[in-house]
Amino acid sequence: MADKEEILQKLLKPVGIEKKAGYNNSSVFGGFDNYILQWLDRLAELSSDERVLELIADLKELFSDYSRVQIKQRQKKLAAGQELFNSLSNLIQEETVEEDSMQRLPPIWQKSIRYVKGVGKKRAEKLARLEIDTLRDMLFYIPRDYRDWSKNLPIRELSPDSEVTATGQVVDSTELRPRKGLTITKVIISDNTGRLAGVWFNQSYIKQKFKPGMAVSFSGEVKQEYGELQITHPHYEIMDSDKELDPGKILPVYSTTQGLSQNLLRKIVSRILKEHLDRFPESLSPGIKDKYDLLDVKEALYKIHFPDQIREVKEARQRLAFGELFILQLGILLKKTDLLTEEEGLVHTGSDELITNFLSDLPFELTSAQRRVWAEIKDNLESSIVMNRLVQGDVGSGKTVVATLALLKAVSSGYQGAMMAPTEILAEQHYLSLKESLEEYGLQIGLLVGSLKKSERKEVIAGIESGEVDIVIGTHALLQEEVSFAKLGLVITDEQHRFGVRQRAILKEKGENPDVLVMTATPIPRTLALTLYGDLDLSVIDELPPGRKPVITEWRREKDFDKIFDFIRQEVKSGRQAYIVCPLVEESEELDVRSAENMAEKLDEDIFPEFKIGLLHGQLKTDEKEAVMEGFRSQQIDILVSTTVIEVGVDVANATLMVILDAQRFGLAQLHQLRGRVGRSEYQSYCILVADPGTETGRERMKIMTQSTDGFVIAEEDLQLRGPGEFFGTRQHGLPDLEVADLLRDSRLVELARKEARKVVDSDPKLQQEEHQLLADLLQAKFGDGFELIDVS
Ligand code: ADP
Ligand code: MG
């Protein structure tokens, strides 16, 4: 095939001749203009540089009407063309140099969709709304459905009351107005064996779509009415007259936007497939394809858009999903090996005496799940391999005790332990409870949060540095530079989903390869955990302490407020306590605080003058917060009005009622977290969601909450409703949106892709081998430089 420079020479050659010949369009056999336009198209196909394509587009426009204009204008056009050709020639030389030095992905990858024949600037803008910018994007724009026109029956053979598809020519269309407010539009098609009517009610715009003689397919349930065959509101398809798309086969249906018809999208895809598919790179090795019986990428891309049989779609989708997951897993694993240090970890082999004492002093027995998870952690601590373990347990499953055991093991082995929590309230609570339970064994517990007084802060930091403090609990404040540990041996982050990977890394750096434990209540389906957390070992506390009654959850409307207040009154009168949570109203924390303040005031003055109301929000000072929490813990406060600061970890067993206002504003995972603040004792607990959701999904979500108290079930439902990106906050995890694969549905593929990616990384940890160059490029294209965003914990 000719390369760009050769084509350029072919283009330049006749320009001089045409001039000499007197602009009579005869310098080349078949016409100078045709010749130029054709070679410009060839050149465009090979180019990806926007500027080159732009110049080509200008040249094409310039010469498009060459044969139709006067000699004088032709002269001008050639002169203008000469200049454009000069610039083009410069650019192409430049481009060739660049390509030789760096580009391994073929141009199809980045070439703008704009330069595909029949697209152009306007349509490219519309395609951009569908996030289709390049040829590659278009090929990976997966149809949302297919119409099987291959099963067409002759109209004569259609049997009434069945689902059918039939094709014919429009022979008649009529509009009837039998009475006011009712318009009936009828379009009749015929295929020489019979006539079939499509009928629409009150959709008169439909009539203009059908012109006599057009080839049209209808599908839907056919009925025999008034002696004719009819389909009411049929799916219809206007067959393509230019024969580019073979009618009578399976056609893709895409999600689209105003101004882009199905036929146009099909044509664009079909053109790209025809002209560029053979240059599409294969990312999977023959070995992998054989092993899992996967299609070649070219075949898969073709079949996902234009299958011969519907069942081929599945095969094609599987192959593309695998390819996508393979690259994703590769990215995650590479990032992970990057993070792993090669040095040996600490060995925690101190005596278990402290632990034995602590356990025997506990007012309860560990659940068997807690015992199992503790054994897994202990194993890691005692070995020289660095621990990287994620402990996952639903709210209330008792993660804190397990963390405490790990801290005790570190301290008994002569190290310090640090535990980082996402909010001051939670840090303080951990601090208070550890202090209460551990000081009797002579341990020194420290608290480091942002709002400490200067003197307190100085003292804690000094204690951490000297080694006097055995265990320090804190917030982000622990990450500050001036905090340095004497001998940090264990780092724990509680409710890890709130922290970024970098923050954890900073804390880790404060010791020499300390062991790391991260704890989360966010229930993560296994396939997602594999994807999000790469190589972290996973322990699951899948059992709640005995005697817990599931929280009864009810969904109420705002108009039911009086009844809700009655219920609160009844609970508080019987000695229990209640939380009332006000949501994030605006982006601004100040406004949220004000709404919580207003609520507290209203309750205090108008509704519950007989009870003590407390108010808790993020803008209070540490000692103020502490005082409020202490008041609630000691039952001096009956009802605690709060913003979402109590979302994580707060533990007051006597509180049995949680009322969440504007509940539709919260994510399901967040609602589940909030609800986890109650149901922590043997009393029956309740959660009332006050919400007037405006959408079906919103109502669906409230129903899920009332039907399940199982974090896993809720997470999976949430995932189904919202997709993984939103579920975890794409920004937080930097998980790229998936085009084909579905982490839930394709869980088996996730594991296989991971296994294969692992092999590649083991054999070539930096993807330097020649055969892995394409993978490196694909990764680069997908994640950008250094995969900075991926959070693999
Ligand atoms: P979470 O996993 O949500 O962090 P916590 O560690 O705060 O849960 O534990 C919730 C409550 O359950 C605490 O009051 C804790 O003392 C109690 N708890 C933990 N383990 C047990 C157990 N095995 N038996 C009874 N109560 C337990
Ligand atoms: Mg907790």
Side-chain angles (χ1 to χ4, degrees):
M1 187 172 35
D3 72 13
K4 280 183 254 182
E5 300 224 36
E6 280 169 37
I7 294 179
L8 194 64
Q9 292 317 314
K10 283 187 197 292
L11 279 164
L12 294 176
K13 220 158 146 196
V15 174
I17 306 176
E18 174 71 12
K19 217 188 238 172
K20 278 197 197 129
Y23 309 100
N24 61 4
N25 200 22
S26 65
S27 55
V28 194
F29 183 71
F32 170 75
D33 57 345
N34 277 335
Y35 174 92
I36 293 284
L37 293 177
Q38 271 177 28
W39 281 108
L40 283 172
D41 277 340
R42 295 281 292 273
L43 187 59
E45 272 171 37
L46 295 179
S47 307
S48 57
D49 186 318
E50 290 280 326
R51 296 166 303 170
V52 169
L53 292 164
E54 195 94 45
L55 280 171
I56 293 175
D58 291 347
L59 277 162
K60 280 181 69 177
E61 199 181 316
L62 188 69
F63 288 113
S64 61
D65 57 355
Y66 187 79
S67 63
R68 277 171 277 139
V69 299
Q70 303 289 323
I71 298 287
K72 229 189 163 134
Q73 275 167 288
R74 290 186 188 176
Q75 203 171 343
K76 276 194 198 147
K77 277 179 188 281
L78 263 191
Q82 193 91 49
E83 293 221 343
L84 292 173
F85 274 126
N86 285 342
S87 324
L88 190 61
S89 160
N90 288 338
L91 275 179
I92 282 183
Q93 268 151 26
E94 221 176 87
E95 195 188 338
T96 327
V97 177
E98 270 175 35
E99 254 172 46
D100 289 347
S101 59
M102 53 167 278
Q103 197 164 336
R104 277 159 295 187
L105 276 185
I108 181 175
W109 209 262
Q110 305 101 329
K111 187 169 163 183
S112 165
I113 190 83
R114 178 175 164 189
Y115 302 104
V116 174
K117 193 167 155 237
V119 179
K121 197 168 166 198
K122 279 239 171 73
R123 283 172 173 166
E125 277 163 15
K126 287 181 180 149
L127 286 163
R129 274 189 241 148
L130 305 174
E131 294 182 8
I132 300 168
D133 298 314
T134 63
L135 301 196
R136 187 218 160 268
D137 293 343
M138 189 75 242
L139 289 190
F140 276 85
Y141 196 66
I142 308 299
R144 72 170 156 74
D145 200 1
Y146 301 85
R147 291 259 180 282
D148 190 351
W149 304 111
S150 65
K151 289 217 197 85
N152 279 4
L153 285 175
I155 291 176
R156 189 181 42 209
E157 288 171 27
L158 300 181
S159 42
D161 303 315
S162 61
E163 286 285 330
V164 300
T165 299
T167 304
Q169 284 197 324
V170 176
V171 291
D172 196 10
S173 56
T174 54
E175 201 170 82
L176 288 174
R177 289 174 191 277
R179 57 178 164 80
K180 214 172 160 226
L182 177 64
T183 309
I184 301 175
T185 307
K186 199 191 260 190
V187 174
I188 295 176
I189 58 173
S190 159
D191 71 349
N192 300 325
T193 73
R195 289 156 66 96
L196 172 67
V199 177
W200 287 265
F201 297 104
N202 289 338
Q203 295 188 15
S204 38
Y205 66 90
I206 215 99
K207 190 171 168 233
Q208 75 206 28
K209 298 200 174 194
F210 299 97
K211 307 260 160 18
M214 246 179 194
V216 172
S217 278
F218 286 156
S219 76
E221 193 182 349
V222 69
K223 300 251 185 221
Q224 184 84 33
E225 301 262 13
Y226 310 107
E228 71 179 357
L229 288 169
Q230 288 190 352
I231 302 179
T232 303
H233 292 185
H235 284 294
Y236 61 89
E237 192 76 37
I238 295 170
M239 292 310 188
D240 216 352
S241 48
D242 63 13
K243 295 277 184 276
E244 202 165 332
L245 301 165
D246 218 1
K249 65 178 202 178
I250 301 172
L251 290 181
V253 179
Y254 302 96
S255 305
T256 185
T257 177
Q258 183 87 42
L260 292 175
S261 70
Q262 290 296 337
N263 271 336
L264 179 67
L265 288 173
R266 288 168 189 160
K267 249 188 254 178
I268 298 171
V269 172
S270 152
R271 252 173 222 160
I272 297 174
L273 288 171
K274 208 155 86 201
E275 291 171 17
H276 301 279
L277 189 62
D278 58 347
R279 271 175 284 154
F280 202 87
E282 174 57 87
S283 60
L284 300 180
S285 70
I288 295 181
K289 281 188 293 183
D290 270 2
K291 185 166 169 192
Y292 300 111
D293 209 8
L294 296 169
L295 295 180
D296 187 81
V297 70
K298 297 185 178 91
E299 198 180 351
L301 280 172
Y302 192 86
K303 288 192 162 162
I304 197 100
H305 294 286
F306 297 106
D308 288 326
Q309 318 247 348
I310 275 294
R311 61 179 157 75
E312 292 176 344
V313 171
K314 193 173 164 203
E315 239 185 337
R317 208 193 68 83
Q318 284 240 329
R319 149 63 226 227
L320 297 176
F322 188 94
E324 181 172 40
L325 292 167
F326 179 63
I327 295 295
L328 179 68
Q329 294 296 344
L330 208 51
I332 289 167
L333 290 177
L334 283 173
K335 174 80 193 235
K336 182 75 200 172
T337 40
D338 222 36
L339 289 177
L340 280 184
T341 42
E342 245 115 75
E343 295 143 291
E344 294 239 303
L346 301 175
V347 185
H348 296 272
T349 41
S351 120
D352 282 339
E353 197 188 322
L354 197 52
I355 289 172
T356 315
N357 289 343
F358 172 77
L359 282 175
S360 66
D361 291 346
L362 267 186
F364 50 75
E365 295 276 310
L366 293 187
T367 62
S368 62
Q370 283 169 319
R371 273 204 301 273
R372 187 188 68 237
V373 170
W374 165 233
E376 288 164 357
I377 294 171
K378 188 164 180 253
D379 250 15
N380 288 161
L381 288 171
E382 289 174 348
S383 94
S384 68
I385 296 166
V386 183
M387 172 166 77
N388 262 306
R389 186 171 285 280
L390 175 68
V391 174
Q392 188 189 307
D394 210 347
V395 284
S397 63
K399 295 183 289 296
T400 317
V401 185
V402 174
T404 310
L405 293 172
L407 289 167
L408 289 176
K409 183 79 188 173
V411 174
S412 308
S413 311
Y415 292 100
Q416 291 168 295
M419 178 144 91
M420 185 161 68
T423 65
E424 290 206 359
I425 291 189
L426 185 52
E428 280 150 17
Q429 178 179 295
H430 282 321
Y431 167 71
L432 290 175
S433 77
L434 286 186
K435 200 166 131 153
E436 194 180 297
S437 56
L438 300 183
E439 262 183 355
E440 58 178 298
Y441 308 111
L443 300 188
Q444 190 69 41
I445 317 292
L447 173 70
L448 186 61
V449 292
S451 57
L452 289 184
K453 290 198 201 83
K454 236 189 177 154
S455 54
E456 294 171 318
R457 186 187 142 79
K458 242 173 126 181
E459 201 187 313
V460 184
I461 291 183
I464 297 172
E465 194 167 354
S466 69
E468 210 178 306
V469 169
D470 298 301
I471 294 171
V472 60
I473 317 294
T475 55
H476 294 83
L478 284 172
L479 304 175
Q480 289 158 342
E481 221 173 297
E482 71 243 70
V483 181
S484 75
F485 287 78
K487 224 180 163 200
L488 181 60
L490 174 66
V491 166
I492 301 181
T493 52
D494 193 14
E495 308 298 348
Q496 64 76 39
H497 61 285
R498 298 296 194 86
F499 293 107
V501 73
R502 254 169 249 121
Q503 292 166 319
R504 249 185 316 278
I506 293 173
L507 189 52
K508 209 182 151 178
E509 304 265 287
K510 291 183 185 285
E512 277 176 39
N513 267 343
D515 283 323
V516 173
L517 195 63
V518 295
M519 303 198 294
T520 184
T522 308
I524 307 159
R526 184 176 159 72
T527 53
L528 269 186
L530 275 178
T531 304
L532 292 170
Y533 300 111
D535 266 6
L536 275 195
D537 294 311
L538 183 64
S539 292
V540 184
I541 308 184
D542 49 6
E543 184 185 349
L544 292 181
R548 299 274 168 85
K549 297 193 182 74
V551 178
I552 295 175
T553 303
E554 300 280 355
W555 165 30
R556 293 284 178 267
R557 307 285 184 164
E558 279 190 21
K559 63 178 167 46
D560 303 324
F561 254 130
D562 287 342
K563 280 192 204 134
I564 297 170
F565 288 141
D566 286 346
F567 187 68
I568 298 176
R569 184 169 290 113
Q570 181 191 318
E571 274 295 288
V572 176
K573 265 197 183 140
S574 73
R576 305 282 81 77
Q577 291 161 281
Y579 296 99
I580 298 184
V581 178
C582 304
L584 282 162
V585 183
E586 304 285 338
E587 295 287 283
S588 126
E589 196 187 339
E590 242 166 77
L591 288 177
D592 295 342
V593 167
R594 207 163 315 141
S595 90
E597 275 170 354
N598 289 343
M599 176 52 77
E601 203 179 294
K602 181 173 151 193
L603 294 181
D604 196 26
E605 287 171 7
D606 306 339
I607 311 214
F608 300 124
E610 71 271 40
F611 300 138
K612 183 98 181 36
I613 311 289
L615 173 65
L616 188 66
H617 57 69
Q619 299 203 325
L620 296 178
K621 297 218 178 59
T622 305
D623 45 357
E624 292 170 331
K625 269 185 266 183
E626 216 168 308
V628 175
M629 275 318 292
E630 192 42 49
F632 194 59
R633 230 174 263 128
S634 63
Q635 300 187 33
Q636 276 152 16
I637 292 172
D638 302 301
I639 300 173
L640 185 62
V641 177
S642 162
T643 57
T644 49
V645 290
I646 59 151
E647 180 191 335
V648 285
V650 172
D651 184 28
V652 176
N654 189 52
T656 54
L657 178 56
M658 163 73 54
V659 180
I660 303 172
L661 304 180
D662 274 345
Q664 76 273 6
R665 292 178 188 266
F666 295 94
L668 286 189
Q670 217 181 352
L671 288 175
H672 182 64
Q673 277 277 348
L674 283 168
R675 179 169 60 184
R677 297 314 108 216
V678 295
R680 295 185 158 241
S681 65
E682 292 180 12
Y683 300 118
Q684 178 62 56
S685 288
Y686 304 90
C687 174
I688 301 176
L689 306 169
V690 186
D692 286 295
T695 63
E696 189 48 45
T697 313
R699 290 187 280 277
E700 210 44 54
R701 294 168 69 236
M702 290 306 119
K703 274 187 218 146
I704 292 168
M705 286 303 296
T706 61
Q707 284 158 6
S708 178
T709 50
D710 182 329
F712 275 87
V713 174
I714 290 169
E716 301 238 337
E717 297 276 357
D718 207 15
L719 211 50
Q720 301 283 14
L721 284 176
R722 294 201 289 165
E726 242 186 288
F727 178 73
F728 284 103
T730 311
R731 214 175 293 142
Q732 195 178 359
H733 289 281
L735 197 65
D737 281 335
L738 294 172
E739 293 166 308
V740 192
D742 174 328
L743 289 174
L744 280 185
R745 192 174 41 173
D746 298 323
S747 56
R748 202 181 70 88
L749 288 183
V750 173
E751 303 208 20
L752 298 180
R754 181 176 179 75
K755 200 166 108 193
E756 295 304 327
R758 158 110 277 154
K759 281 190 208 153
V760 172
V761 175
D762 283 347
S763 75
D764 183 10
K766 294 205 150 63
L767 295 191
Q768 284 162 331
Q769 290 164 20
E770 190 63 35
E771 57 179 312
H772 294 145
Q773 283 318 301
L774 178 64
L775 291 180
D777 289 350
L778 291 172
L779 276 166
Q780 174 71 31
K782 186 125 196 160
F783 298 108
D785 281 320
F787 328 120
E788 265 304 329
L789 283 168
I790 311 175
D791 180 351
V792 291
S793 293

PDB file of all heavy atoms in Angstrom, residues 399-400 430 494-495 649, ligand 2:
ATOM      1  N   LYS A 399     -15.775  -4.798  64.176  1.00  0.00           N
ATOM      2  CA  LYS A 399     -14.432  -4.689  63.621  1.00  0.00           C
ATOM      3  C   LYS A 399     -13.458  -4.086  64.629  1.00  0.00           C
ATOM      4  O   LYS A 399     -12.271  -4.411  64.636  1.00  0.00           O
ATOM      5  CB  LYS A 399     -14.443  -3.815  62.345  1.00  0.00           C
ATOM      6  CG  LYS A 399     -15.236  -4.420  61.204  1.00  0.00           C
ATOM      7  CD  LYS A 399     -15.176  -3.576  59.957  1.00  0.00           C
ATOM      8  CE  LYS A 399     -15.947  -2.274  60.040  1.00  0.00           C
ATOM      9  NZ  LYS A 399     -17.400  -2.452  60.197  1.00  0.00           N
ATOM     10  N   THR A 400     -13.982  -3.207  65.490  1.00  0.00           N
ATOM     11  CA  THR A 400     -13.088  -2.494  66.393  1.00  0.00           C
ATOM     12  C   THR A 400     -12.341  -3.436  67.332  1.00  0.00           C
ATOM     13  O   THR A 400     -11.152  -3.246  67.594  1.00  0.00           O
ATOM     14  CB  THR A 400     -13.890  -1.459  67.226  1.00  0.00           C
ATOM     15  OG1 THR A 400     -14.807  -0.799  66.355  1.00  0.00           O
ATOM     16  CG2 THR A 400     -12.973  -0.442  67.854  1.00  0.00           C
ATOM     17  N   HIS A 430     -13.083   6.134  69.289  1.00  0.00           N
ATOM     18  CA  HIS A 430     -12.116   5.038  69.409  1.00  0.00           C
ATOM     19  C   HIS A 430     -11.149   5.320  70.552  1.00  0.00           C
ATOM     20  O   HIS A 430     -10.796   4.440  71.323  1.00  0.00           O
ATOM     21  CB  HIS A 430     -11.312   4.884  68.115  1.00  0.00           C
ATOM     22  CG  HIS A 430     -12.044   4.176  67.021  1.00  0.00           C
ATOM     23  ND1 HIS A 430     -12.863   3.099  67.237  1.00  0.00           N
ATOM     24  CD2 HIS A 430     -12.070   4.383  65.684  1.00  0.00           C
ATOM     25  CE1 HIS A 430     -13.366   2.686  66.085  1.00  0.00           C
ATOM     26  NE2 HIS A 430     -12.899   3.456  65.126  1.00  0.00           N
ATOM     27  N   ASP A 494      -9.488   2.984  59.595  1.00  0.00           N
ATOM     28  CA  ASP A 494     -10.866   2.565  59.811  1.00  0.00           C
ATOM     29  C   ASP A 494     -11.721   3.221  58.735  1.00  0.00           C
ATOM     30  O   ASP A 494     -11.474   4.355  58.349  1.00  0.00           O
ATOM     31  CB  ASP A 494     -11.332   3.000  61.203  1.00  0.00           C
ATOM     32  CG  ASP A 494     -12.641   2.306  61.589  1.00  0.00           C
ATOM     33  OD1 ASP A 494     -13.020   1.316  60.921  1.00  0.00           O
ATOM     34  OD2 ASP A 494     -13.269   2.751  62.564  1.00  0.00           O
ATOM     35  N   GLU A 495     -12.717   2.514  58.282  1.00  0.00           N
ATOM     36  CA  GLU A 495     -13.600   3.019  57.231  1.00  0.00           C
ATOM     37  C   GLU A 495     -12.759   3.538  56.081  1.00  0.00           C
ATOM     38  O   GLU A 495     -12.812   4.699  55.688  1.00  0.00           O
ATOM     39  CB  GLU A 495     -14.503   4.137  57.778  1.00  0.00           C
ATOM     40  CG  GLU A 495     -15.265   3.777  59.036  1.00  0.00           C
ATOM     41  CD  GLU A 495     -16.230   2.608  58.863  1.00  0.00           C
ATOM     42  OE1 GLU A 495     -16.491   2.200  57.715  1.00  0.00           O
ATOM     43  OE2 GLU A 495     -16.727   2.097  59.879  1.00  0.00           O
ATOM     44  N   GLY A 649     -19.234   4.775  62.368  1.00  0.00           N
ATOM     45  CA  GLY A 649     -18.614   4.294  63.586  1.00  0.00           C
ATOM     46  C   GLY A 649     -19.214   4.640  64.928  1.00  0.00           C
ATOM     47  O   GLY A 649     -18.928   3.976  65.901  1.00  0.00           O
TER      48      GLY A 649
HETATM   49 MG    MG B   2     -16.402   0.769  63.239  1.00  0.00          MG
END
